[in-house]
Amino acid sequence: MNGTLGGTNSDFVPVLGLSKAQGEELLEKLEAGETLTVTVAVEGAEVSESTSHNVIATKKPDKEKDSGQIVIVGAHHDSVEGAPGANDDASGTATTLELARVLSDIPNDTELRFITFGAEENGLLGSYAYVDTLTEDEIGRTVGMFQLDMVGSRDAGKLTMFTVDGKANIVTDLGSGVGARLSEKVNYGKEGRSDHVPFSEVGVPAALFIHSPTEPWYHTPEDTIDKISKAKLQEVAEIVGAAVYLIAHEDTPPVK
Ligand code: PHE
Ligand code: ZN
Ligand code: ZN
Ligand code: ZN
């Protein structure tokens, strides 16, 4: 062993994960001829930097009809490494695109924002970054956020709505009402872990739409398109589409 271990002017010994003081102590012991048993573990050695993007489509209301309100439909377009992500969350991404297509035609008094977030799986990075861009005024005008994450698996359970605090809000109220009329009762519960969280944290009524319990292929290489049920996608698209319509159509009253 030579002096490189603790002998430079750096503050720590990065390779061994030791502080400078610990490195010097180790060096002293080695120089004094002590026999040491050292366990070396390599963890998280690879570091890289990359950029992720959110994709945002906006439909503003007619100037004369503007209620001043905003409603957001979201999903995430990334997936975990090794998983194709057909259900998590291409299902929500596809449904968001379809809702944007369908709702682009309605006369709206409420601004519609359709967003697919990046880097959800890395800690909701895209949605936190997006919420960071909103002004207090925009946050105050945002009456609802509908998050679609894992909404197409034939092997998952029933459509469920999750809020961060487990309480009902305008989003779950509309989901329940429309669900009961269009298909079947949609229950709600408490769960974070998706892009509705950053919105909820700034006070925007938000809910995650997901089939629960999740499918066995969750976050595996088996999350492939053959497991996707068109009927399940259709059901969630109708429920969320009708709920958004009820907020946004110019003939319906403002939410609050
Ligand atoms: N956000 C999770 C994901 O993308 C989905 C999830 C939410 C799963 C809540 C279970 C419960 O992996
Ligand atoms: Zn996931
Ligand atoms: Zn997801
Ligand atoms: Zn309206």
Side-chain angles (χ1 to χ4, degrees):
M1 180 71 64
N2 62 35
T4 56
L5 190 59
T8 69
N9 59 6
S10 71
D11 286 336
F12 69 107
V13 185
V15 175
L16 294 178
L18 301 175
S19 68
K20 188 176 183 190
Q22 287 171 321
E24 280 169 354
E25 192 189 330
L26 180 60
L27 192 61
E28 267 172 38
K29 287 184 177 173
L30 290 170
E31 281 170 353
E34 281 186 45
T35 305
L36 297 174
T37 306
V38 178
T39 306
V40 177
V42 178
E43 300 177 354
E46 214 172 285
V47 173
S48 70
E49 213 171 276
S50 49
T51 303
S52 176
H53 296 92
N54 296 328
V55 180
I56 305 164
T58 301
K59 191 192 180 206
K60 301 241 187 226
D62 278 349
K63 278 232 164 50
E64 316 81 70
K65 300 272 170 73
D66 194 348
S67 70
Q69 300 190 329
I70 300 167
V71 64
I72 298 175
V73 177
H76 69 88
H77 57 242
D78 62 316
S79 53
V80 294
E81 203 171 313
N87 195 44
D88 183 13
D89 185 26
S91 65
T93 298
T95 305
T96 300
L97 292 179
E98 177 64 358
L99 289 175
R101 186 184 71 80
V102 171
L103 293 167
S104 66
D105 264 356
I106 68 164
N108 55 314
D109 63 9
T110 296
E111 182 174 326
L112 296 167
R113 295 187 185 178
F114 301 91
I115 310 177
T116 71
F117 300 102
E120 187 268 357
E121 303 285 9
N122 305 77
L124 316 179
L125 297 184
S127 48
Y128 271 114
Y130 177 75
V131 168
D132 243 16
T133 69
L134 297 176
T135 62
E136 285 297 320
D137 175 66
E138 281 176 296
I139 290 169
R141 292 192 289 118
T142 305
V143 293
M145 193 278 174
F146 296 74
Q147 171 70 2
L148 303 167
D149 192 358
M150 304 171 69
V151 291
S153 176
R154 62 164 200 220
D155 302 311
K158 284 169 54 143
L159 183 62
T160 309
M161 301 174 292
F162 286 117
T163 58
V164 175
D165 61 7
K167 294 184 185 147
N169 60 31
I170 178 68
V171 177
T172 59
D173 284 351
L174 283 167
S176 300
V178 172
R181 285 173 63 184
L182 281 187
S183 74
E184 54 175 345
K185 194 163 185 287
V186 187
N187 291 319
Y188 67 90
K190 182 177 155 123
E191 177 67 75
R193 293 201 285 153
S194 194
D195 297 309
H196 61 306
V197 173
F199 293 88
S200 186
E201 285 178 354
V202 297
V204 171
L208 162 65
F209 289 73
I210 186 171
H211 291 116
S212 181
T214 57
E215 66 281 9
W217 329 118
Y218 173 58
H219 282 186
T220 74
E222 272 65 61
D223 181 7
T224 46
I225 196 162
D226 52 305
K227 320 290 196 319
I228 298 299
S229 153
K230 285 186 184 173
K232 283 200 159 173
L233 290 176
Q234 180 78 26
E235 181 196 32
V236 70
E238 287 180 7
I239 291 171
V240 173
V244 171
Y245 180 99
L246 286 176
I247 301 176
H249 194 279
E250 66 180 23
D251 293 337
T252 57
V255 167
K256 59 182 183 193

